[in-house]
Amino acid sequence: MDIQSLYEGKTTFGKLSKESKSYLYPIHKYIQDEFPKGNPSIVTSQIPYLQLQNSMFQIRNRIYQDQSIPKFLYPILEEWNVDPNDVYADLFRLRCVPNGFHNLEGTESVQFLHRDPWYANPENQINIWIPITKVELGSGFSLYPSYFLNPVENNSHLFDYEHWNETGGFQTSSNHPKISEKIFPKPSVSISDPNPLSVSGDFGDYFIFASHHLHGTSDNTQGYSRFSLEVRFVIGEHIKHHLGPKNVDNASSGTTLYEMKQLITGEIMPTDLIQSYVKESALS
């Protein structure tokens, strides 16, 4: 399978090499350091959600500062014949979904089905999902492949990326003063796919898909928290030549491309390239 097949809606499961896994071991340490009094997968399902959010904020900051973690991607990119020098990625995001998360007050919006482009992500963004701890079948997340080429009525026209950042952006701490103003895009019609794909796995596995897929977090009923790492990236040449899925239903404003940094140098892509891609991708 290659990148073009992802742009056509294909998905793939894989196994990390021994080399790739070695770069992710520090994440386990950062989690254990933050929850030293027991098994983090158990502890994080027992503490107040506000406390969990604040602890996750601290762990994520350590991940953002660890310059070795992105190296786990190199073997995967080599396998896919993708030059790391042409890869632009946003911050690697660690998520923790406690057992029974779906029953907590105020968490409904986090589970809304969505396409990432509704959140101003580029249409040709590629997502890699990596379980850091065991995620049992049905407690991970789901994709709805039959909607890949079909528009879904939604409220993405209300989403403005500048305002999103003003309210804390992605993975913010829960005490941000404007967090209640956040807009979470979602479908305005019921979703029914005859063959939804349920994604699960354990440390060492990975799952790759186009962010254009309609997807969302599943209820965690496995009895303990699940930790996963989410990586989102684009290929510079594909932005330049406007390759990838076409916009079928996204009306959000702004773009996350300015937040994506070159994997090796940390530079952003040229502004004129970003603006050209955004203009081309807009709904006519």
Side-chain angles (χ1 to χ4, degrees):
M1 186 176 291
D2 55 18
I3 295 294
Q4 182 57 43
S5 65
L6 293 176
Y7 292 159
E8 295 169 356
K10 303 295 184 181
T11 61
T12 184
F13 288 92
K15 293 282 187 181
L16 295 174
S17 67
K18 184 177 181 180
E19 177 186 4
S20 287
K21 288 177 66 174
S22 69
Y23 292 114
L24 298 180
Y25 289 141
I27 297 177
H28 289 121
K29 180 182 184 302
Y30 300 154
I31 294 172
Q32 190 65 64
D33 287 348
E34 188 66 27
F35 305 103
K37 296 184 178 180
N39 183 337
S41 292
I42 302 298
V43 173
T44 51
S45 281
Q46 297 174 337
I47 61 177
Y49 186 58
L50 177 60
Q51 181 182 344
L52 172 60
Q53 285 183 300
N54 292 333
S55 291
M56 290 300 298
F57 184 72
Q58 300 301 320
I59 298 171
R60 290 176 190 128
N61 281 337
R62 295 186 70 179
I63 292 174
Y64 300 157
Q65 295 167 13
D66 190 330
Q67 298 182 0
S68 69
I69 289 177
K71 294 180 181 179
F72 93 89
L73 259 181
Y74 294 174
I76 296 177
L77 295 174
E78 181 179 357
E79 181 180 337
W80 286 57
N81 296 315
V82 173
D83 183 359
N85 291 290
D86 198 31
V87 171
Y88 295 79
D90 66 7
L91 292 172
F92 291 7
R93 301 175 194 158
L94 182 71
R95 291 190 67 192
C96 176
V97 180
N99 181 63
F101 174 79
H102 52 287
N103 294 322
L104 298 178
E105 184 178 354
T107 62
E108 299 87 355
S109 57
V110 181
Q111 292 191 280
F112 288 157
L113 299 183
H114 64 280
R115 302 186 201 273
D116 286 5
W118 294 355
Y119 284 80
N121 290 265
E123 297 287 340
N124 60 3
Q125 177 180 289
I126 300 299
N127 291 3
I128 304 181
W129 180 83
I130 302 160
I132 299 299
T133 59
K134 184 174 180 58
V135 180
E136 297 179 5
L137 185 64
S139 290
F141 73 101
S142 295
L143 268 73
Y144 300 86
S146 69
Y147 291 92
F148 190 77
L149 297 176
N150 299 316
V152 176
E153 186 178 324
N154 67 85
N155 66 337
S156 61
H157 64 284
L158 298 176
F159 184 89
D160 178 81
Y161 188 56
E162 182 176 350
H163 180 262
W164 177 261
N165 284 332
E166 291 174 353
T167 58
F170 294 102
Q171 304 284 320
T172 187
S173 64
S174 57
N175 57 3
H176 192 281
K178 292 187 176 181
I179 196 169
S180 62
E181 299 177 18
K182 277 186 176 294
I183 299 294
F184 293 84
K186 62 179 179 177
S188 52
V189 294
S190 60
I191 300 299
S192 178
D193 191 316
N195 295 296
L197 176 62
S198 181
V199 181
S200 61
D202 204 345
F203 183 61
D205 300 326
Y206 67 82
F207 178 70
I208 302 182
F209 64 103
S211 70
H212 185 81
H213 269 291
L214 187 68
H215 61 283
T217 301
S218 303
D219 295 351
N220 182 1
T221 59
Q222 64 185 17
Y224 51 89
S225 300
R226 66 171 182 86
F227 288 84
S228 60
L229 187 69
E230 300 175 355
V231 178
R232 298 166 171 82
F233 71 90
V234 297
I235 299 172
E237 279 296 300
H238 294 191
I239 293 292
K240 180 179 180 179
H241 297 291
H242 307 284
L243 303 181
K246 301 305 178 184
N247 183 3
V248 295
D249 57 17
N250 170 38
S252 63
S253 301
T255 180
T256 62
L257 278 173
Y258 291 105
E259 311 296 331
M260 293 189 166
K261 306 295 178 62
Q262 204 279 336
L263 198 59
I264 297 174
T265 67
E267 299 176 352
I268 65 168
M269 65 180 62
T271 299
D272 59 344
L273 198 61
I274 295 176
Q275 292 175 343
S276 174
Y277 178 80
V278 172
K279 181 178 179 180
E280 180 74 18
S281 300
L283 283 172
S284 58

